Amino acid sequence: MTQYQADTGTQRRPVHKFGGSSLADAACFHRVADIIRSQKQADALVVVSASGKTTNRLIELLNLFASGDNAAATTLEGLYLFQQQLIISTLSEAHAAPLLTLLDDDINRIAAALESRRLDDYQRNFIQSFGELWSARLLASLLNCQGLPAASLDARRFLRVSGSPVQVDDAFSRQQLQAILAEHTDQIVVVTGFIAADADDRTRLLGRNGSDFSATLLADLADSSHSTIWSDVPGVFSADPRRVQEAQLLSRLSLPEAAELARLGSSILHSRTLGPVAGSRQQLILRSSYHPDDGYTRILRQHPREPGARIVTSVDDAVLIEMTISDRYQDRVNALTDWLTQRELAPLACKRRPELKLWQIAYTREQAEQAFSLLRDHQPAGGFEGLQEREGFSLVALVGRGVTAQPEQCLHFYHALNEQPLEFIQPAQNGLSLVGIVRKITLEPLLLRLHQSLFSRPKRIGLILFGRGNIGRAWLKLYQQQKDRLEQKLNVQLTLYGAFDSKGGMLASQGLEVERVLNDFQPVSMVWPNWLENLEEHGFDQLVALDFTASGSLVQYYPELVEQHIHLIAANKLAGAAEQAFYLRLKQSLAEHSVQFLSNATVGAGLPVQSSIRQLQQSGEQVRAISGIFSGTLSWLFQHFDGSQPFSELVLQAWQQGLTEPDPRQDLNGQDVKRKLVILAREAGFDLDPARVKVQDLVSETLAALDKDAFFERLQELDQPLGEALAAARKKDGVLRHIARFDGVSGEASVGLEVVPREHAFANLRPGDNVYAVETCHYRQNPLVIQGPGAGREVTAGAMQTDLWNLLASFK
């Protein structure tokens, strides 16, 4: 199962789209086939564009023929030779032969259509459709050759459209597609992009970026959960990486931000491509077919929690269309904008100058010609005059949720553009962009300056602390020592925004002094979740909650913290070891809200246990088993329990030295060890339900029912059963240890006493040490062993600090 797949109950036929640059030659076709195989999706739908520049060559052929140029025959011959060589280079001779025969037939059909000299728009569309047909056939044949059952599908068989711009007949297209796919249930279906048919079976084209639109439209019609557009770039960057070297790939982008970027002329996204995404359940992913492992951008439906600009974008060659509108027609400007938008010609930017009765609208050069023609025809009814085009402009814009409401970013933008030959600046009404139109300049210095001013400023991070006990106080002192270093190394500005204990809490947007929280804490009563609702306008770029408690009631509010986009760092084990239904809901909520939950301090304190498991998985290892001594208290007890003194005396000594919980039964009942085992198993990728773990309680039901004082009075009742267990271990020439085990193959998990050989890794530890053994395919006979102090306020606080460092480093 790939990282994009859900189980079969929730996923239906994922869609992958490959553009012309991804199918430019035989090597590209084989690379695409490798990608499809790696996805392990036997029923995938694959949308393809024409190979390389094939569509451009077909258009050139049509134009040459229409002008009577004899070079048309040479162009057709060149098309034939290119496709012929592509087939021969991609397939074996036996598999190439049928496609070469079909190619001969197609070239004859194109020649016949040209010779008929009845080249209306539909005939021109028909000739242009062959590029996609050839790609679909070739890729399907290659997949079959490689043992992946596949079939090619001409989209005209199901995709019905009408009107101009084309409108999809959703009901008919959906019904037809379902019937066709029912015939190919266990096959990859390679579908032509860019083309459709009307009710008279005439070929229609879907226009600019038509293949991308085909992909998301197909995902909608097939009710797919994911559509992935593969191209020559891995996704959306914070700026054009060819112009701004520091540009960062954005792993997530909201659908409204993506739509705004598309509206502003992005070459990566097109507004029509995003339309079907908004109206369906699919997630859209952008990836590079040339470098599949270079990351990706996922388009999400919800806005990011952090407001402000995320992208600096530009259009080198912009055109201004200007017109004068008399006072009595000024109210028609909005209606005219809507009229253009309905015709897929939404302006990049608009500027009304009432004092001059002037209205200016900006377009890319590609759109300007069509928009000007429409406006010229509409002029008598539109209430405007003096229509003219002005060339020689560029567009620069910031894109991001609420960017127009960010004073600092707006100020940087206005200052930077006021130093240029500025025509106008327009904040978008939806708050998603700030657009500047300037006379044509070399844009790189301006883009670099804007990118640096926006993305080099420190991220403002608010920290909320829960728990002022031993570990919480140790962390506060560590935070006080390390704050300057964190801020300098990670380009962040840290503020201790809130602190809570069992009596109440304090919140201060200007920040709380660490000394005050340590020594002069005066909390006010705060009722959940009322105080949480007041955080909506907290003013930080990110909020982070650090849970140093063992509170089950606090864990119950984790989902509400996540919904507020508050990241979680926990030493509290109760969330990671929660009952299965709660744990799975929390995981889903974390994914949906793009919130991180780090919990390395929950197991092994400062020992790198969870991080080591993650690294093993990232290296391709599959964890098979996890075992060890997970309790420092129980480690100390059984390292000293050699029969020289009763077990009850050891328990009393450990309690007096502060090595146990205030009530030692919380150590002896094995529940804390069980939680650690569940957390590690889940970290290793197993859905271990806590209810499945068999736990041996060292305390009898009678002792467990007593209050703490009565328990201590009858502590010696532990001696007989533990003494018998020790004697049995000696008979086997072994030692008695308290061990947790999880078998990933059988799914069995247990916590309790075991007899191990005296030379075993678990037998000879320093008293109080933890030991963790992780078995994988390559670490099977000789497991990876991690050993050291697994408890202590300082090392646990250090683990929380490490998690904070890693979380802050991920904020880009």
Side-chain angles (χ1 to χ4, degrees):
M1 190 182 294
T2 72
Q3 61 185 315
Y4 303 128
Q5 282 184 295
D7 59 72
T8 55
T10 59
Q11 167 131 349
R12 292 184 61 194
R13 306 201 79 143
V15 172
H16 298 270
K17 182 267 175 177
F18 295 93
S21 62
S22 297
L23 299 167
D25 53 33
C28 288
F29 269 85
H30 280 273
R31 186 185 301 116
V32 166
D34 290 342
I35 290 172
I36 294 171
R37 185 188 308 106
S38 72
Q39 299 302 299
K40 299 179 181 177
Q41 298 162 341
D43 61 349
L45 306 178
V46 180
V47 176
V48 292
S49 298
S51 176
K53 301 295 184 181
T54 297
T55 299
N56 290 342
R57 293 176 181 176
L58 287 166
I59 293 172
E60 178 188 359
L61 168 67
L62 289 166
N63 292 338
L64 288 170
F65 187 83
S67 64
D69 194 319
N70 291 333
T74 304
T75 301
L76 182 59
E77 179 68 15
L79 265 168
Y80 172 67
L81 292 175
F82 173 78
Q83 292 295 328
Q84 182 187 59
Q85 187 58 41
L86 184 59
I87 293 169
I88 293 170
S89 303
T90 305
L91 302 175
S92 66
E93 183 176 350
H95 289 97
L99 266 65
L100 292 172
T101 300
L102 290 171
L103 176 63
D104 289 340
D105 293 341
D106 292 339
I107 295 298
N108 289 332
R109 292 170 69 192
I110 292 172
L114 294 172
E115 290 169 2
S116 70
R117 298 193 175 273
R118 294 193 300 272
L119 284 184
D120 58 14
D121 287 343
Y122 300 111
Q123 283 291 89
R124 293 177 66 91
N125 294 343
F126 170 73
I127 290 174
Q128 287 185 57
S129 71
F130 280 96
E132 278 67 25
L133 280 175
W134 294 332
S135 289
R137 278 184 202 154
L138 181 53
L139 182 57
S141 182
L142 177 59
L143 293 173
N144 279 310
C145 291
Q146 296 185 353
L148 297 174
S152 63
L153 173 61
D154 187 335
R156 288 172 292 193
R157 287 184 55 195
F158 69 89
L159 189 54
R160 175 176 289 182
V161 299
S162 61
S164 181
V166 295
Q167 301 296 315
V168 177
D169 184 337
D170 185 271
F172 177 88
S173 302
R174 193 178 298 272
Q175 182 180 20
Q176 292 294 108
L177 178 63
Q178 289 174 354
I180 293 171
L181 294 184
E183 301 172 1
H184 302 280
T185 53
D186 295 317
Q187 280 186 303
I188 295 169
V189 180
V190 185
V191 187
T192 57
F194 183 56
I195 60 176
D198 61 18
D200 297 319
D201 287 330
R202 295 175 300 192
T203 300
R204 299 292 304 274
L205 304 181
L206 299 181
R208 179 173 173 248
N209 291 95
S211 292
D212 287 357
F213 175 47
S214 297
T216 56
L217 179 58
L218 179 64
D220 182 11
L221 296 173
D223 194 26
S224 300
S225 58
H226 293 82
S227 54
T228 304
I229 294 178
W230 300 81
S231 63
D232 54 358
V233 294
V236 178
F237 285 78
S238 57
D240 186 340
R242 297 168 298 182
R243 293 177 139 173
V244 179
Q245 291 185 354
E246 295 82 2
Q248 299 291 320
L249 178 67
L250 302 179
S251 61
R252 294 175 175 86
L253 191 67
S254 74
L255 185 56
E257 288 173 327
E260 187 70 2
L261 187 64
R263 186 187 69 79
L264 292 173
S266 168
S267 60
I268 299 172
L269 290 164
H270 190 270
S271 297
R272 296 179 68 221
T273 302
L274 298 173
V277 179
S280 66
R281 69 171 183 144
Q282 65 182 293
Q283 289 188 35
L284 176 60
I285 300 156
L286 309 178
R287 296 186 73 178
S288 168
S289 62
Y290 287 85
H291 304 284
D293 298 325
D294 279 4
Y296 55 86
T297 298
R298 188 187 299 268
I299 309 298
L300 306 173
R301 282 174 173 74
Q302 70 268 25
H303 275 300
R305 178 65 183 85
E306 178 185 354
R310 305 185 67 208
I311 303 165
V312 179
T313 189
S314 63
V315 174
D316 277 352
D317 194 7
V319 176
L320 281 183
I321 297 178
E322 297 182 341
M323 65 200 77
T324 55
I325 302 179
S326 63
D327 291 338
R328 61 177 179 156
Y329 290 122
Q330 283 293 320
D331 59 347
R332 295 191 182 181
V333 169
N334 291 337
L336 192 55
T337 303
D338 293 340
W339 181 82
L340 288 164
T341 301
Q342 290 168 6
R343 285 153 181 78
E344 299 185 356
L345 288 168
L348 304 179
C350 307
K351 180 67 175 179
R352 294 174 66 177
R353 300 183 185 273
E355 73 283 2
L356 301 175
K357 300 181 175 57
L358 182 67
W359 189 42
Q360 298 173 295
I361 51 177
Y363 283 105
T364 62
R365 177 172 291 279
E366 181 182 9
Q367 294 174 306
E369 182 178 350
Q370 185 180 359
F372 187 82
S373 176
L374 277 174
L375 287 167
R376 183 180 56 212
D377 295 341
H378 188 63
Q379 189 165 337
F384 57 86
E385 55 189 19
L387 188 66
Q388 64 172 335
E389 281 185 294
R390 292 175 60 199
E391 300 182 351
F393 293 91
S394 297
L395 175 147
V396 177
L398 306 182
V399 177
R401 181 178 77 89
V403 60
T404 57
Q406 299 297 306
E408 182 181 350
Q409 294 185 343
C410 290
L411 185 63
H412 280 299
F413 188 76
Y414 278 85
H415 279 174
L417 266 72
N418 275 325
E419 297 175 7
Q420 309 298 332
L422 178 65
E423 186 71 17
F424 64 82
I425 291 176
Q426 183 208 16
Q429 289 184 352
N430 59 15
L432 287 167
S433 67
L434 192 61
V435 182
I437 301 295
V438 297
R439 291 194 177 276
K440 205 165 189 179
I441 57 171
T442 301
L443 289 177
E444 280 77 5
L446 177 59
L447 297 175
L448 180 60
R449 176 180 171 182
L450 287 171
H451 192 272
Q452 288 177 339
S453 68
L454 293 173
F455 300 99
S456 297
R457 75 165 178 84
K459 295 278 187 183
R460 296 182 294 267
I461 312 297
L463 305 177
I464 305 175
L465 175 142
F466 293 94
R468 293 175 55 256
N470 290 334
I471 300 173
R473 294 177 69 85
W475 177 82
L476 280 167
K477 295 174 184 177
L478 183 60
Y479 166 73
Q480 192 174 35
Q481 297 167 6
Q482 296 289 317
K483 179 175 181 289
D484 291 344
R485 179 167 172 261
L486 278 170
E487 291 182 329
Q488 181 180 0
K489 292 288 187 181
L490 301 178
N491 193 32
V492 294
Q493 179 183 328
L494 298 174
T495 301
L496 185 57
Y497 176 44
F500 289 81
D501 65 10
S502 58
K503 297 177 182 177
M506 300 172 65
L507 287 172
S509 57
Q510 74 276 14
L512 297 169
E513 294 292 334
V514 171
E515 290 298 330
R516 181 182 180 189
V517 177
L518 284 170
N519 304 315
D520 188 26
F521 192 62
Q522 298 176 3
V524 298
S525 177
M526 292 190 178
V527 180
W528 285 82
N530 296 346
W531 72 269
L532 191 59
E533 296 174 356
N534 298 327
L535 295 184
E536 185 64 30
E537 303 300 330
H538 55 72
F540 297 99
D541 294 326
Q542 302 280 359
L543 277 183
V544 180
L546 298 105
D547 182 2
F548 295 93
T549 75
S551 169
S553 59
L554 176 57
V555 166
Q556 293 303 311
Y557 286 106
Y558 275 17
E560 294 186 50
L561 291 168
V562 171
E563 288 176 7
Q564 289 280 6
H565 296 265
I566 298 174
H567 301 278
L568 302 170
I569 299 176
N572 189 333
K573 305 176 186 67
L574 297 179
E579 57 92 18
Q580 192 77 343
F582 177 86
Y583 176 73
L584 293 177
R585 285 198 304 272
L586 178 60
K587 278 184 65 177
Q588 181 178 357
S589 183
L590 289 164
E592 289 175 350
H593 294 88
S594 302
V595 169
Q596 297 187 56
F597 175 33
L598 287 76
S599 59
N600 286 296
T602 58
V603 180
L607 296 176
V609 185
Q610 295 183 62
S611 58
S612 296
I613 290 174
R614 281 194 294 272
Q615 288 178 11
L616 285 171
Q617 291 177 304
Q618 290 165 2
S619 70
E621 292 278 5
Q622 173 63 51
V623 173
R624 298 176 59 89
I626 301 169
S627 60
I629 297 173
F630 294 1
S631 167
T633 301
L634 294 169
S635 170
W636 188 93
L637 287 171
F638 286 99
Q639 286 291 334
H640 284 95
F641 186 40
D642 56 5
S644 61
Q645 56 184 320
F647 189 77
S648 59
E649 290 185 12
L650 289 171
V651 172
L652 190 59
Q653 289 177 30
W655 179 73
Q656 290 170 340
Q657 295 176 34
L659 299 177
T660 73
E661 295 293 333
D663 186 338
R665 288 175 293 186
Q666 295 180 21
D667 297 296
L668 299 173
N669 64 16
Q671 292 300 312
D672 189 61
V673 172
K674 179 184 83 168
R675 295 186 190 103
K676 294 176 182 178
L677 183 63
V678 170
I679 288 169
L680 292 184
R682 287 171 168 174
E683 186 69 59
F686 298 95
D687 287 333
L688 177 59
D689 190 329
R692 288 169 43 203
V693 183
K694 298 176 182 177
V695 180
Q696 179 185 5
D697 192 338
L698 303 186
V699 180
S700 68
E701 292 184 6
T702 302
L703 290 178
L706 301 174
D707 62 33
K708 188 168 76 171
D709 291 339
F711 166 70
F712 275 109
E713 290 176 2
R714 297 171 59 177
L715 193 61
Q716 67 276 9
E717 293 181 24
L718 294 172
D719 293 338
Q720 180 181 348
L722 269 299
E724 292 174 353
L726 179 62
R730 285 177 168 175
K731 285 184 179 179
K732 297 179 180 179
D733 195 27
V735 295
L736 195 62
R737 296 292 182 261
H738 189 274
I739 295 174
R741 291 190 184 277
F742 171 71
D743 186 325
V745 178
S746 67
E748 294 180 355
S750 63
V751 170
L753 294 178
E754 292 186 21
V755 178
V756 299
R758 295 181 182 277
E759 65 276 9
H760 194 279
F762 298 167
N764 301 294
L765 305 178
R766 292 179 59 186
D769 270 9
N770 283 188
V771 60
Y772 301 86
V774 182
E775 296 180 30
T776 68
C777 293
H778 294 106
Y779 291 89
R780 192 171 182 182
Q781 300 300 323
N782 189 18
L784 173 67
V785 175
I786 302 167
Q787 179 180 336
R793 66 190 69 173
E794 284 78 17
V795 290
T796 305
M800 293 286 281
Q801 184 75 351
T802 299
D803 277 351
L804 177 61
W805 179 289
N806 291 331
L807 178 64
L808 297 176
S810 72
F811 296 154
K812 295 181 180 179

